[in-house]
């Protein structure tokens, strides 16, 4: 039986028809009506109708960035789409007439990666999505961990620096302000401003407009400031994983998200920092740290499978 997974991003709505093996057999895209959040449900219904044409579809899984309640139907708060108490499940069900499951997007990705990607065969997985921020998803004993109210695994918002950088969530010093794509750019800009002689290659590539792509390219060309920014990200990531292991003792970490495409610049160092900072090191098995395998389709595959398992 087929299900449809939908991933609602800030700029596009990606959807796919997915079979039992996690294979996407058809897919479709729409731009997200980001300035009209009320119309997102209609966009989802539209893309579902296109994909369901001529197919027997059992259920729809929808991944959305935001806090999704424990009944997996209401998006309580979504910073990017200005949703407050949005009854997304009810709206989409009303439009498409099929069972709908709504899930936090990072949870959907974690479920997809664990079952069909880098975490296959693993029972205790921590998935860390390193993009502009940090998303988290936990699978424990083979089940998605959602917390009491559906709002668990917001790993990016643990405070790691008291009185630290202001986070989009309103708090200070959250982990995602030190170990995400935004943090990488902030670090590179800071070093370039204070010690411009270390950022010569970066300035050549980016001029005054330093963004993530330029930092990555400059680092690969040996730019000192950009390499230092990646080194900082690697250490914050490794330390964060060691802290998570102290609490959760997973068998496997999966690192995904846009920044993981530059894994050559931070992955080994993050693993070393993790191993060095792990509590009880030398007297415990060390968790595997793997790169995500499904790329951008992890959310679609995961949401579709969560709909199947509803
Ligand atoms: Zn935060």
């Amino acid at each position: 039986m087929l299900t449809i997974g939908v991933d609602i991003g800030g700029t596009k709505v990606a959807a796919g028809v997915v079979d039992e093996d996690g294979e996407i057999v058809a897919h479709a895209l729409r731009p997200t009506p980001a300035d009209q959040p009320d119309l997102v449900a209609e966009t989802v219904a539209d893309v579902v109708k296109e994909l369901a044409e001529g197919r027997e579809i059992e259920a729809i899984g929808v991944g959305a960035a935001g806090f999704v309640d424990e009944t997996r139907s209401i998006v309580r708060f979504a910073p990017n789409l200005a949703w407050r108490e949005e009854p997304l499940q009810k709206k989409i069900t009303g439009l498409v007439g099929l069972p709908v499951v709504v899930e936090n997007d990072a949870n959907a990705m974690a479920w997809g990666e664990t079952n069909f990607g880098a975490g296959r065969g693993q029972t205790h997985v921590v998935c860390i999505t390193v993009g502009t921020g940090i998303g988290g998803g936990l699978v424990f004993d083979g089940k998605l961990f959602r917390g009491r109210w559906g709002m668990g695994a917001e790993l990016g918002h643990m405070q790691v620096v008291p009185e630290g950088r202001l986070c989009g969530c309103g708090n200070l010093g959250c982990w995602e302000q030190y170990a995400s794509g935004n943090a990488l750019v902030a670090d590179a800009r800071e070093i370039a401003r204070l010690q411009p002689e270390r950022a010569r290659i970066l300035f050549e590539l980016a001029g005054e407009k330093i963004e993530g792509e330029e930092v990555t390219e400059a680092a690969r060309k040996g730019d000192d400031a950009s390499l230092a920014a990646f080194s900082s990200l690697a250490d914050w990531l490794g330390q964060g994983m060691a802290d998570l292991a102290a609490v959760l003792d997973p068998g496997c970490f999966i690192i995904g998200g846009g920044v993981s495409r530059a894994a050559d610049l931070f992955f080994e160092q993050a693993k070393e920092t993790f191993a060095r900072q792990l509590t009880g090191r030398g007297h415990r098995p060390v968790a595997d740290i793997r790169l995500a395998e499904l790329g951008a389709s992890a959310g679609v595959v995961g949401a579709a499978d969560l709909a199947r398992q509803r």
Side-chain angles (χ1 to χ4, degrees):
M1 196 70 163
L2 297 166
T3 55
I4 291 178
V6 184
D7 188 7
I8 303 173
T11 56
K12 58 184 190 295
V13 174
V17 180
V18 181
D19 69 14
E20 286 98 338
D21 302 320
E23 296 292 333
I24 297 178
V25 299
H27 57 91
L29 267 183
R30 295 280 189 287
T32 305
D35 48 349
Q36 291 166 289
D38 289 349
L39 296 184
V40 173
E42 266 117 274
T43 304
V44 171
D46 184 53
V47 81
V48 164
K49 279 175 191 157
E50 177 189 320
L51 287 171
E53 180 78 45
R55 295 189 174 95
E56 205 175 324
I57 302 295
E58 184 188 331
I60 315 295
V62 178
F67 291 93
V68 179
D69 79 330
E70 74 272 26
T71 66
R72 303 203 287 180
S73 51
I74 297 165
V75 183
R76 293 210 180 278
F77 169 72
N80 298 329
L81 286 165
W83 275 334
R84 303 289 182 265
E85 303 297 326
E86 170 76 8
L88 194 60
Q89 191 242 17
K90 208 178 198 179
K91 278 191 184 173
I92 299 172
T93 306
L95 292 165
V96 301
L98 287 166
V100 174
V101 169
V102 179
E103 186 55 72
N104 167 270
D105 61 343
N107 285 357
M109 280 181 219
W111 187 253
E113 279 293 343
T114 298
N115 291 291
F116 305 104
R120 270 185 302 253
Q122 295 282 328
T123 53
H124 294 70
V125 177
V126 174
C127 207
I128 303 170
T129 309
V130 187
T132 54
I134 287 185
L138 306 177
V139 176
F140 272 79
D141 271 335
K143 293 190 196 112
L144 185 66
F145 174 87
R146 310 187 69 261
R148 169 63 183 88
W149 312 108
M151 293 168 199
E154 288 290 337
L155 307 181
H157 299 287
M158 297 183 297
Q159 190 189 54
V160 297
V161 177
E163 305 294 314
R165 292 174 180 163
L166 176 65
C167 183
C169 75
N171 287 343
L172 297 176
C174 290
W175 188 32
E176 73 171 29
Q177 297 308 312
Y178 298 88
S180 67
N182 281 357
L184 178 78
V185 173
D187 284 335
R189 284 178 183 163
E190 172 97 341
I191 300 168
R193 185 171 62 83
L194 296 173
Q195 299 166 285
E197 70 283 358
R198 296 177 66 190
R200 230 168 281 138
I201 300 170
L202 182 56
F203 281 128
E204 263 170 44
L205 287 168
E208 296 300 313
K209 276 206 63 157
I210 297 172
E211 298 295 345
E213 261 174 57
E214 287 86 10
V215 178
T216 302
E217 199 185 336
R220 290 200 176 114
K221 289 180 171 162
D223 180 72
D224 191 44
S226 303
L227 287 168
F230 269 105
S231 175
S232 170
L233 179 136
D235 279 344
W236 279 113
L237 201 57
Q239 177 66 56
M241 287 190 288
D243 293 341
L244 289 166
V247 181
L248 299 168
D249 188 30
C252 173
F253 288 92
I254 300 174
I255 310 290
V259 177
S260 69
R261 287 197 294 269
D264 54 310
L265 293 164
F266 71 86
F267 193 53
E268 286 308 313
Q269 187 186 329
K271 286 200 274 192
E272 285 164 21
T273 303
F274 169 76
R276 198 171 60 240
Q277 296 300 113
L278 185 63
T279 186
R281 59 193 168 279
H283 307 283
R284 64 186 289 174
V286 177
D288 262 0
I289 303 177
R290 302 175 183 171
L291 289 169
E293 291 176 4
L294 300 182
S297 58
V300 166
V301 171
D305 197 63
L306 286 167
R308 187 186 310 282
Q309 316 283 339
R310 76 193 179 281

